[in-house]
Amino acid sequence: MAKKVGAILLDTRSIQKYVFSCNKLKTNVGASYLVDGIFNDLMQNIILPKYNLKMPDISWKKSDGIQIVKDDTIEAEIVYIGGGNMLILINKFPEEDDNLKLCCDIVSSWSLEILKKAPGLKTGAAIGMMDVSEDAFKDSLDDMYVQLKQNQNTVLPQVDLPYTGLTLECDISGKTADTFDWVDKKWIAKEVKAKTDAYKYASEKVRYEYEDILNNEYDFASELEKIGCKEGESYISVIHIDGNNMGVKFSKCKDSQERKKLSLTVVKIVQNAFRELIQSIIDEYDSKAYDEALDKRDLIDDKGKKLLPIRPIIIGGDDITFVCPARVGIEYAKRFIEAVNKQDFLNDEQYKRMSKEIKEEKEENEKNESMKISKTMSCCGGVAIVPLKYPFFRAYQLAEHLCGSAKTKSRQDDSSLIDFAILYGEMTPSLEQLCRYQYVAPEGYLHYGPYYIKKNSDEDIADKSSIKDLLSLKDKLKTKVASNKIKELRDVLTRDLHAQIRFLENCESVRDIIKEESNTKDIEAKAFWQKKDKEVKTRYVDAIEIIDFTLPNKED
């Protein structure tokens, strides 16, 4: 039997632009904290209680279904929070119009509080009647998402005071400087003040989450300059990691209960993986490799705590962003993705059912690229290695685009991959421009990525496009080839085949590596190049470039 109730579907927009709008780590972390709290803290704990609505006694995380269906006395219920969305059901009045009006009032109150507590943050909402009966819930929710998307395209919220040109400009955000900062004794934008103030609570929260492994001995840095970059090597890695085919997997959920459980599973997997990454950093903190690669003098705060060479910025859902010194970026991204891949995301029944549905859709529509899914929460990562003073939002965008490049490759079989790029100097190219100007050579393409972390199939990685193979090649070049010859090899690979032939004639150590890598006795310059993704590419430039941006080999 159909049962229609009022529904509110909320989301956040342009989160990355809000979080990474400036180069101050405190404002980035504080902004992430504000975004994280607008559902759990603001809507759940402040706005809804104001309306004195009867809600289920049990938390939405622990309920075994939609309680509003089972109990007519329930007037409001949070169905789930996850993936940047929140779904609330309202059933206070017998008339639909009255329930819809109450939904509008709730969203209005929530939006007003966001303007006060998180100025500059853009949000969205869809309001309507939902059929919450078991057979109709999925289709009804899909309709709400369609409405939400339409609202995103038509409603453009004004969340900032307009800049008239006659007022002072904030030197951090470029917006109107309408609030005085008593700490730094200057005028700044309300948005920057809110983010900076939130940093204190964000730091307390992350310390609390990992206090059992930090043990009051370790902490996270509050400034990019304090994360351990080696003197003279002022480069950082901005890492963005995103789950593969998450929209597809959630769209295959049969009901709200399954969707909610998957949302909670995502949070648990990500938290466990990041915990494992932090523990691995602590375990090797005093190792020889860290002494050589990082400036340990920076990794001490004014209270004597050891600062970890990593700073989480966004750790929520399947969207993860953190920053660390350039030398450890690829390694940390690799470790995190490996930790995620250890944990099951789908159970056997879900995996079989969703795989079957995706296969049937593929047969009906050849344009569907989602060929396979994995039981684990596969994910891809992008590592942008940039100068310390490089605009943070641009660095994040590059990391996001690199992650997108890896995800394009992952759609074939839901594998986990990573891609990276290194920016030298202060240029600000897009990924497309970077590839065109930095990686094109007469004999082929100088960047071989993306690289597999874990392949979701039984096929071998015959073209050596795994990160393990790349790191192995890097170690061989570093230990067996003289530094001047490595630089020369980097140069000749940008030239024609004749230059590469001449180089090989005079460099026995590189010839030996080619023999080992190609498993052949006949050495030709063509062995530098391989066919991959319908293009001719070389792994050697990538291996050379990461020599200065990876940890020393433990055996060195």
Side-chain angles (χ1 to χ4, degrees):
M1 181 178 177
K3 181 171 183 177
K4 288 194 172 184
V5 299
I8 302 170
L9 182 61
L10 304 173
D11 81 334
T12 49
R13 303 190 197 173
S14 305
I15 295 176
Q16 290 78 16
K17 189 172 183 179
Y18 183 75
V19 172
F20 301 109
S21 58
C22 71
N23 268 35
K24 290 189 70 174
L25 188 57
K26 285 186 176 181
T27 60
N28 300 144
V29 174
S32 178
Y33 176 81
L34 291 175
V35 171
D36 194 45
I38 62 171
F39 295 145
N40 289 298
D41 298 333
L42 186 55
M43 177 59 88
Q44 182 174 342
N45 299 331
I46 297 176
I47 301 300
L48 288 177
K50 286 182 179 180
Y51 289 84
N52 296 316
L53 300 167
K54 182 180 178 183
M55 300 183 69
D57 296 328
I58 191 170
S59 162
W60 67 272
K61 295 180 180 180
K62 298 179 180 179
S63 67
D64 59 355
I66 299 178
Q67 303 302 306
I68 212 166
V69 177
K70 306 173 184 178
D71 186 350
D72 289 335
T73 66
I74 293 177
E75 298 173 331
E77 179 178 3
I78 297 171
V79 180
Y80 68 84
I81 301 173
N85 298 122
M86 180 180 193
L87 178 63
I88 306 168
L89 301 179
I90 302 293
N91 192 33
K92 181 176 176 61
F93 304 105
E95 298 295 328
E96 289 187 4
D97 288 347
D98 292 332
N99 282 322
L100 290 174
K101 184 177 184 303
L102 178 57
C103 289
C104 290
D105 288 343
I106 291 172
V107 172
S108 178
S109 297
W110 179 69
S111 301
L112 181 60
E113 284 300 311
I114 289 176
L115 286 172
K116 297 176 183 177
K117 297 181 182 300
L121 178 60
K122 294 183 179 180
T123 58
I127 296 170
M129 299 300 295
M130 271 190 68
D131 187 343
V132 292
S133 56
E134 186 176 347
D135 295 337
F137 176 84
K138 186 176 182 299
D139 290 338
S140 191
L141 180 60
D142 288 343
D143 291 339
M144 290 290 291
Y145 272 103
V146 170
Q147 182 190 338
L148 183 66
K149 189 67 177 178
Q150 290 173 343
N151 290 347
Q152 288 176 345
N153 295 330
T154 56
V155 179
L156 304 176
Q158 175 59 264
V159 293
D160 297 303
L161 289 173
Y163 184 68
T164 64
L166 301 175
T167 50
L168 187 66
E169 179 181 296
C170 173
D171 62 2
I172 298 174
S173 68
K175 296 181 179 180
T176 302
D178 47 12
T179 300
F180 191 73
D181 181 2
W182 290 98
V183 176
D184 293 333
K185 300 293 189 292
K186 64 179 181 179
W187 287 88
I188 58 174
K190 276 192 174 71
E191 177 181 325
V192 174
K193 182 70 164 60
K195 293 175 181 178
T196 304
D197 289 347
Y199 173 78
K200 174 185 175 182
Y201 304 102
S203 295
E204 290 174 355
K205 179 183 178 184
V206 75
R207 277 195 293 265
Y208 175 76
E209 288 176 352
Y210 303 107
E211 64 178 349
D212 57 322
I213 56 177
L214 295 176
N215 289 324
N216 206 35
E217 182 181 359
Y218 298 92
D219 204 348
F220 298 99
S222 60
E223 300 174 12
L224 288 175
E225 292 80 0
K226 293 290 185 180
I227 61 172
C229 294
K230 197 85 169 175
E231 187 174 352
E233 298 178 5
S234 54
Y235 280 78
I236 59 171
S237 289
V238 178
I239 293 103
H240 174 69
I241 296 170
D242 196 17
N244 293 338
N245 294 324
M246 299 302 287
V248 173
K249 294 166 187 174
F250 274 95
S251 70
K252 303 305 176 189
C253 291
K254 56 188 176 185
D255 54 33
S256 64
Q257 188 69 5
E258 185 173 43
R259 178 182 283 265
K260 178 184 68 177
K261 285 183 177 179
L262 280 187
S263 293
L264 294 174
T265 300
V266 169
V267 173
K268 183 179 179 181
I269 288 173
V270 168
Q271 288 178 342
N272 288 343
F274 198 72
R275 174 178 289 272
E276 185 175 327
L277 173 58
I278 293 175
Q279 186 63 63
S280 74
I281 296 170
I282 291 174
D283 290 343
E284 64 190 8
Y285 191 89
D286 294 321
S287 69
K288 179 182 175 183
Y290 270 38
D291 289 339
E292 292 180 8
L294 305 176
D295 190 339
K296 301 291 280 289
R297 293 172 299 176
D298 282 343
L299 295 177
I300 299 290
D301 69 4
D302 53 8
K303 296 179 181 178
K305 288 185 179 180
K306 298 176 181 178
L307 298 177
L308 297 175
I310 184 172
R311 176 72 227 199
I313 298 178
I314 298 176
I315 304 293
D318 67 315
D319 190 356
I320 301 96
T321 303
F322 56 89
V323 61
C324 58
R327 277 182 173 265
V328 292
I330 293 174
E331 177 64 24
Y332 286 0
K334 172 178 169 287
R335 287 185 198 177
F336 180 85
I337 293 173
E338 287 174 339
V340 167
N341 273 273
K342 291 178 184 176
Q343 306 168 75
D344 278 349
F345 177 53
L346 304 174
N347 60 37
D348 290 338
E349 185 277 328
Q350 290 170 328
Y351 175 66
K352 290 177 182 177
R353 168 168 49 85
M354 293 183 182
S355 296
K356 181 181 177 182
E357 290 180 15
I358 290 171
K359 183 179 179 182
E360 289 172 351
E361 288 180 359
K362 171 64 180 174
E363 291 171 352
E364 293 177 5
N365 182 9
E366 288 297 324
K367 293 183 180 180
N368 186 356
E369 296 181 348
S370 297
M371 300 287 291
K372 292 181 182 178
I373 58 172
S374 61
K375 283 186 67 177
T376 61
M377 199 190 91
S378 64
C379 53
C380 289
V383 181
I385 300 173
V386 300
L388 182 64
K389 300 298 183 181
Y390 191 79
F392 209 95
F393 182 59
R394 289 185 181 275
Y396 171 81
Q397 282 185 316
L398 178 58
E400 189 179 39
H401 292 157
L402 288 163
C403 180
S405 167
K407 286 171 75 71
T408 299
K409 179 76 172 177
S410 77
R411 293 193 182 101
Q412 297 175 10
D413 56 7
D414 207 16
S415 293
S416 295
L417 299 101
I418 188 174
D419 207 355
F420 65 88
I422 303 169
L423 290 188
Y424 300 97
E426 295 297 325
M427 60 180 176
T428 57
S430 65
L431 180 59
E432 182 181 354
Q433 291 171 328
L434 180 69
C435 293
R436 186 165 64 246
Y437 297 132
Q438 192 164 308
Y439 295 130
V440 174
E443 298 303 318
Y445 201 59
L446 299 175
H447 179 56
Y448 202 72
Y451 293 90
Y452 284 99
I453 302 293
K454 181 183 177 183
K455 190 173 177 65
N456 182 34
S457 70
D458 297 329
E459 301 173 14
D460 292 331
I461 306 176
D463 59 1
K464 292 186 176 292
S465 58
S466 75
I467 194 68
K468 181 180 178 181
D469 288 324
L470 178 67
L471 294 173
S472 173
L473 177 58
K474 178 266 300 184
D475 288 337
K476 291 173 186 175
L477 288 169
K478 183 179 178 182
T479 57
K480 298 179 180 180
V481 184
S483 297
N484 65 320
K485 287 297 182 182
I486 291 176
K487 291 180 181 179
E488 188 179 347
L489 174 59
R490 174 67 173 86
D491 177 62
V492 298
L493 287 171
T494 66
R495 292 149 59 187
D496 59 25
L497 197 62
H498 178 70
Q500 295 159 32
I501 293 171
R502 294 290 300 274
F503 172 82
L504 276 179
E505 289 174 353
N506 297 288
C507 190
E508 183 178 357
S509 56
V510 173
R511 290 204 306 272
D512 291 340
I513 291 174
I514 290 179
K515 286 179 185 179
E516 188 177 346
E517 289 287 305
S518 305
N519 195 24
T520 179
K521 293 181 179 180
D522 299 324
I523 303 304
E524 295 181 351
K526 289 182 180 179
F528 284 124
W529 306 89
Q530 291 174 266
K531 192 77 176 288
K532 182 191 176 189
D533 301 330
K534 299 179 181 179
E535 290 186 88
V536 177
K537 301 182 177 183
T538 180
R539 296 185 301 131
Y540 285 79
V541 171
D542 286 346
I544 291 169
E545 291 196 329
I546 66 172
I547 286 175
D548 293 328
F549 295 106
T550 50
L551 283 173
N553 191 344
K554 292 180 181 180
E555 297 178 357
D556 291 352

